[in-house]
Amino acid sequence: MSSQRMVPHLVRIHHRARVGIAALLLLGCAACTPPPNEPTEKPAEPQATQLRDAMQKPLDDARAAQAAVDADAARQRKAIEDAGG
């Protein structure tokens, strides 16, 4: 009868051995995987450039138009002063 009691104990030991070997194999496979690609030295471009450009273009256009209006006004004042007025 003592052999009947030993069998469940051996089955548990055998099962634990299988689980241990499987765990070791998984760890071994994980250790052999190549490292991830190293990041490039070039910093990533900001993703909000389109939004920034879309907001900046009208402001630049307005500044250019204001500069043209100011230049025309200055020419007109000079013409009035030269005409004696």
Side-chain angles (χ1 to χ4, degrees):
M1 283 219 198
S2 64
S3 65
Q4 290 177 350
R5 284 191 213 157
M6 292 287 285
V7 173
H9 181 63
L10 291 175
V11 170
R12 271 187 262 144
I13 291 175
H14 188 66
H15 179 69
R16 287 182 182 170
R18 283 185 188 173
V19 171
I21 290 171
L24 287 175
L25 286 174
L26 285 174
L27 288 173
C29 290
C32 295
T33 58
N37 293 336
E38 294 181 17
T40 59
E41 293 180 18
K42 182 177 147 185
E45 292 289 327
Q47 298 297 318
T49 57
Q50 291 177 351
L51 178 60
R52 184 188 66 222
D53 292 344
M55 292 173 59
Q56 193 65 34
K57 186 177 182 322
L59 294 173
D60 292 340
D61 292 344
R63 287 185 190 109
Q66 185 64 44
V69 168
D70 291 343
D72 287 343
R75 271 187 260 133
Q76 185 179 15
R77 271 185 252 126
K78 184 168 176 9
I80 291 171
E81 288 175 13
D82 289 344

